[in-house]
Amino acid sequence: MSSLTLSLRAEQGALVIEALAELPFKTVFDLIGRLNRQANAADAGADADAARAYSVSVPDLQLIVGALRLLPYHRVHLLMDALEEQVAGMGEA
């Protein structure tokens, strides 16, 4: 399974976790655990506003985007735009 690297700031990562938490637990618990492990492994001394890299699979990204779509537009549109831009950049690489 191919891996993608997403760059998320802390508040974006929190929004992703919030969106995933609205889905059935058995569907998202593994992904939430992997995202939390990656966040915890990031350098604790790093700037809180700095973006962190998260490695996800294509199905993970589909689950994240699907979960974000269930939240109100005004809360997620900037993150959705950023994810779209990142994925488009991956296609060019």
Side-chain angles (χ1 to χ4, degrees):
M1 190 176 312
S2 123
S3 179
L4 307 170
T5 302
L6 300 178
S7 179
L8 301 172
R9 293 185 317 276
E11 73 275 0
Q12 292 173 321
L15 189 56
V16 167
I17 297 297
E18 180 184 336
L20 290 171
E22 295 296 322
L23 298 178
F25 179 74
K26 67 181 184 177
T27 305
V28 297
F29 79 97
D30 184 53
L31 176 55
I32 290 173
R34 284 186 279 121
L35 292 173
N36 277 325
R37 281 190 295 280
Q38 291 180 63
N40 292 335
D43 182 15
D47 180 7
D49 290 333
R52 290 181 170 79
Y54 293 88
S55 179
V56 298
S57 67
V58 171
D60 290 343
L61 180 59
Q62 291 170 331
L63 190 57
I64 290 168
V65 169
L68 288 169
R69 284 185 177 150
L70 298 175
L71 293 181
Y73 176 79
H74 72 278
R75 297 200 53 222
V76 300
H77 74 281
L78 294 176
L79 175 54
M80 294 292 280
D81 290 347
L83 290 174
E84 183 178 318
E85 191 174 300
Q86 289 181 52
V87 171
M90 290 174 199
E92 296 170 2

